[in-house]
Each structure stands twice: as C-alpha cells, then as structure tokens.
Amino acid sequence: MAEDRVEELKRILQQNEVSVANAHEALEHHLNQLHRLGATLEDNVCEVLRKVIAQAEAIEELDRITNWTWRK
C-alpha cells in the first residue's frame, strides 16, 4: 500500500516538474508584465517563482552530486 502511494507521488512530481529554464522564463515574463503595468515592486508570484527556481536548481545539483533522482 505504501509502495503504491510512493509511485503515485513520484508520478505527481514528474507531471508537475518545472525546469530551471521554465521557471526563469515565467519569472521574466511576469516581471515584464508588471513593468508594463507600471508596477515598481515585485509581488507574491515573483516570490513563488524564485522558490521554484531554487528548488529546481537544488534538484539538478543533487542529481549531479549524488546520481540520485526522484524522476525514476
């Protein structure tokens, strides 16, 4: 039963994987939109995207350092 849940969670992670490049593109696009609207401060979306970028970078580095991957 626990193994089924682990497989389900791995599938969810794979389906919702965000690469560093994807997150950077989304952040740049959002910042450009804010700038066009005249906003001078970053919002919560920027904060979330920066955290997604940090997570993706950490996962990539862990993969390189340990040869471990959750993507299996």
Side-chain angles (χ1 to χ4, degrees):
M1 182 123 177
E3 290 175 7
D4 290 340
R5 181 65 178 150
V6 168
E7 290 305 314
E8 180 183 355
L9 291 170
K10 285 181 181 179
R11 185 178 43 76
I12 290 169
L13 286 171
Q14 289 171 338
Q15 290 173 344
N16 293 288
E17 181 179 6
V18 177
S19 72
V20 174
N22 293 141
H24 275 293
E25 287 176 19
L27 179 59
E28 286 304 313
H29 178 72
H30 186 69
L31 287 170
N32 287 335
Q33 287 179 323
L34 288 175
H35 180 71
R36 283 196 336 234
L37 293 171
T40 57
L41 297 174
E42 294 186 8
D43 62 6
N44 291 341
V45 173
C46 294
E47 180 183 351
V48 169
L49 287 169
R50 291 188 193 287
K51 288 181 179 189
V52 168
I53 290 168
Q55 287 177 343
E57 289 173 341
I59 288 169
E60 286 181 0
E61 186 172 349
L62 274 174
D63 285 351
R64 282 193 310 273
I65 292 171
T66 66
N67 292 323
W68 170 85
T69 181
W70 57 266
R71 293 176 186 92
K72 293 181 182 177

